[in-house]
Amino acid sequence: MSANVTSIGLKGLEGYAVQVEVQVVEGMESIVVVGLPDASVKESKERVSAALRSLGFSLVDMKVIINLSPAEQKKNGPLFDLAIAIGVLKSGDFLKDEVPKNAGFIGALSLDGSVLPVEGMIAAILAAKKLKLRTLYLPYDPSIPSIDIPGLELVYIETIRDVLDVLSGQQLIPFARTEEKREEKQTIDRDFNQIIGHEFAKRAMEIAASGEHFLLMDGPPGCGKSLLAETFRSILPPLTKEAQLEKISLYQLAGAPYTSITLPPYRHPHHSASAVSIIGGGTNPKPGEVSLAHRGVLFLDELGEFSKKTLDMLRQPLENETVTISRAHSTVTYPAKFIFLAAMNPCPCGYYGSKDQYCTCSDKQIKAYKSRVSGPILDRMDLLLSLKAVNLKNHDFAGMESSKDIMERVRQARERQYLRYGREICNGSVPFEELIKKSPLTPQQQKDIQQLSIQYGLSNRVQIKIIRLARTISDLMGEEAITEAALTEALSFRKLSRTSPVSLTGEDSGMIYN
């Protein structure tokens, strides 16, 4: 008699149903696994055999054939151990009770019959919801936060014997979960009230956080670029429950540690990092820095020092909010929705345009340095800032705004966007057609932007980004429509050399547009 048990396979974060078909017949004792299993899946036959033998279920004089369907999809990982064991018990007539068709089984087996947690369990749980399973049997993992998914019952088990008891109608004693309260608190080391000056940059960061816009800073060494970027996370609202699960799933798949569940991730790779470590990859493709920054911040300091190949590979995640990694045996797609912050010096020595230090770079060196960051990457940045060193003389240290106050305005601005678009999406990533439909420009505003685009040679992408910025600024001001004041302020952020704001009438103020 054949048995059919449902499990879940993972392709990156995407889960799919795997039907574990088991047939036990008389013959020489052996276990055969088919259905494109990798080495870790092939080894499951030894784990399953030993685990069942330790529980008193002998497979002597039995030939076991296991088919993992769909047969054309390569299977990897020990996720199917529990399902295979249940299928063997059912097909071998050791298990008399019915195995529900709408139930799934995931988990690795120990040789003593214990069920152990595996990488990607949260991704498998989210996949079970999409597959409309009613019950999911899985090992208990104290590192995973409590998950309550309507319509899906999670049955935490410790051994194969627990599964048999539940299938026979017995009740298990629930695991005592000890939630760590410290992880639910927002603990930020840096605060904006500790940063002296840079009011224009702080305003830019508030706008970037509110609409999930990308920001590039340039300026001499020590002017505060890295400090501003490191403090940026302190004004981001806590992650939603769904975002928390996505974060933990990606970190588990990558085998990377994390310190907090509720805080948005902040990734700061060094410029010597390889393209694979930033984008993701490997024989079995793992998430890279762009995916570990999902729902948070990716900060690239010394942008001009990164290899041109690495920066060009950033185009896909910046545009599509996903990264696709293709290998000979599989193609994996990971989410990569993050706020991109970058910083660079104006020249190789860092002091071009400085009033305090002498620049030793030639025009050729400066041009070569700036050309390391391609036009398409600059085109994808929403806000461009030039920073100068702050003069502490006669500076008023009182009355500086805290990150908590700024975060509250960011939260309110995001709530307005969520309400406008009917889902959790911000102005920086919402389809432009939807944005302009919800917030149309007046004929005069359209005319002014067209004149400025001709005067400064703005690309279509830059024009769209100016409108997106203006929509976010209007949300911060609580305005229903895009205002001219918001458009004027949005235009002032499209530069890498700032002297004074530009007016919407297009009067030249010495700005360098990109």
Side-chain angles (χ1 to χ4, degrees), residues 452 455-456 488 491-492 494-495 497-504 506-513:
L452 285 172
Q455 182 177 352
Y456 294 103
T488 298
L491 285 162
S492 70
R494 284 302 306 181
K495 59 200 179 336
S497 178
R498 172 168 54 88
T499 55
S500 59
V502 71
S503 68
L504 194 58
E507 296 177 358
D508 194 354
S509 62
M511 294 197 307
I512 300 175
Y513 282 88

Side-chain angles (χ1 to χ4, degrees), residues 99-318:
V99 179
K101 293 184 178 179
N102 57 3
F105 300 82
I106 60 173
L109 289 182
S110 176
L111 299 185
D112 63 355
S114 301
V115 186
L116 306 177
V118 293
E119 289 183 357
M121 280 179 49
I122 292 183
I125 294 172
L126 298 177
K129 174 188 175 184
K130 294 180 181 178
L131 295 171
K132 298 182 179 180
L133 296 179
R134 298 293 301 276
T135 309
L136 184 64
Y137 295 83
L138 70 163
Y140 175 74
D141 187 351
S143 66
I144 295 178
S146 59
I147 302 174
D148 184 17
I149 300 179
L152 177 63
E153 180 187 4
L154 301 179
V155 180
Y156 294 101
I157 46 94
E158 194 171 9
T159 67
I160 298 176
R161 186 71 68 181
D162 292 339
V163 181
L164 303 182
D165 291 342
V166 174
L167 292 178
S168 65
Q170 298 183 36
Q171 294 290 331
L172 293 180
I173 299 176
F175 288 90
R177 180 178 290 276
T178 57
E179 299 289 347
E180 296 189 13
K181 300 298 183 182
R182 62 180 177 84
E183 288 191 329
E184 300 301 323
K185 296 180 180 179
Q186 291 246 71
T187 54
I188 299 293
D189 296 332
R190 301 187 184 276
D191 195 291
F192 269 113
N193 60 15
Q194 301 170 352
I195 300 178
I196 302 169
H198 291 307
E199 300 304 325
F200 190 79
K202 291 179 183 178
R203 173 63 173 172
M205 292 205 151
E206 180 179 345
I207 296 169
S210 300
E212 295 185 346
H213 300 289
F214 304 154
L215 187 150
L216 172 63
M217 299 173 283
D218 84 336
C223 69
K225 303 186 296 295
S226 298
L227 177 62
L228 285 164
E230 291 168 2
T231 314
F232 178 76
R233 188 170 68 158
S234 66
I235 63 174
L236 295 178
L239 294 176
T240 62
K241 195 70 173 179
E242 181 181 354
Q244 292 175 26
L245 297 179
E246 291 179 359
K247 172 185 175 179
I248 298 174
S249 299
L250 287 163
Y251 276 69
Q252 281 189 338
L253 288 173
Y258 57 90
T259 57
S260 174
I261 297 176
T262 59
L263 284 177
Y266 175 84
R267 305 299 297 184
H268 181 191
H270 192 262
H271 59 76
S272 62
S274 66
V276 170
S277 67
I278 292 180
I279 303 300
T283 306
N284 292 318
K286 296 288 186 180
E289 293 290 340
V290 295
S291 296
L292 295 179
H294 180 61
R295 302 280 194 159
V297 181
L298 176 68
F299 173 49
L300 299 187
D301 201 0
E302 303 294 346
L303 188 66
E305 300 298 334
F306 284 82
S307 68
K308 191 174 186 302
K309 175 185 176 182
T310 301
L311 294 181
D312 287 340
M313 290 177 70
L314 280 174
R315 293 188 194 182
Q316 183 197 14
L318 290 179

Side-chain angles (χ1 to χ4, degrees), residues 269-431:
H270 192 262
H271 59 76
S272 62
S274 66
V276 170
S277 67
I278 292 180
I279 303 300
T283 306
N284 292 318
K286 296 288 186 180
E289 293 290 340
V290 295
S291 296
L292 295 179
H294 180 61
R295 302 280 194 159
V297 181
L298 176 68
F299 173 49
L300 299 187
D301 201 0
E302 303 294 346
L303 188 66
E305 300 298 334
F306 284 82
S307 68
K308 191 174 186 302
K309 175 185 176 182
T310 301
L311 294 181
D312 287 340
M313 290 177 70
L314 280 174
R315 293 188 194 182
Q316 183 197 14
L318 290 179
E319 195 72 22
N320 302 330
E321 299 180 350
T322 60
V323 58
T324 301
I325 306 168
S326 297
R327 293 294 180 266
H329 64 276
S330 66
T331 299
V332 176
T333 299
Y334 289 113
K337 178 181 173 61
F338 54 84
I339 299 176
F340 182 41
L341 302 183
M344 62 184 298
N345 295 328
C347 66
C349 78
Y351 295 107
Y352 176 74
S354 174
K355 297 180 180 179
D356 304 319
Q357 299 285 341
Y358 180 73
C359 176
T360 60
C361 304
S362 65
D363 291 342
K364 184 178 181 181
Q365 288 175 317
I366 295 174
K367 185 176 180 181
Y369 182 79
K370 289 185 175 294
S371 65
R372 293 183 185 180
V373 182
S374 64
I377 292 294
L378 282 178
D379 231 19
R380 285 169 170 79
M381 306 304 291
D382 299 286
L383 301 104
L384 306 176
L385 299 178
S386 274
L387 302 182
K388 304 295 182 183
V390 176
N391 187 356
L392 301 182
K393 186 178 180 180
N394 299 326
H395 184 82
D396 184 10
F397 293 89
M400 291 190 294
E401 202 169 24
S402 68
S403 293
K404 184 177 180 181
D405 296 332
I406 301 175
M407 183 200 294
E408 180 58 26
R409 292 199 298 269
V410 170
R411 187 193 63 78
Q412 293 177 6
R414 287 194 179 188
E415 289 295 333
R416 294 186 184 101
Q417 295 167 66
Y418 299 160
L419 182 62
R420 182 187 307 119
Y421 305 123
R423 60 191 189 281
E424 286 190 16
I425 193 169
C426 293
N427 296 321
S429 55
V430 69

Side-chain angles (χ1 to χ4, degrees), residues 25-32 59-64:
V25 296
E26 293 184 0
M28 183 180 296
E29 182 177 350
S30 63
I31 300 178
V32 180
L59 301 179
V60 176
D61 296 331
M62 293 184 182
K63 180 178 181 180
V64 181

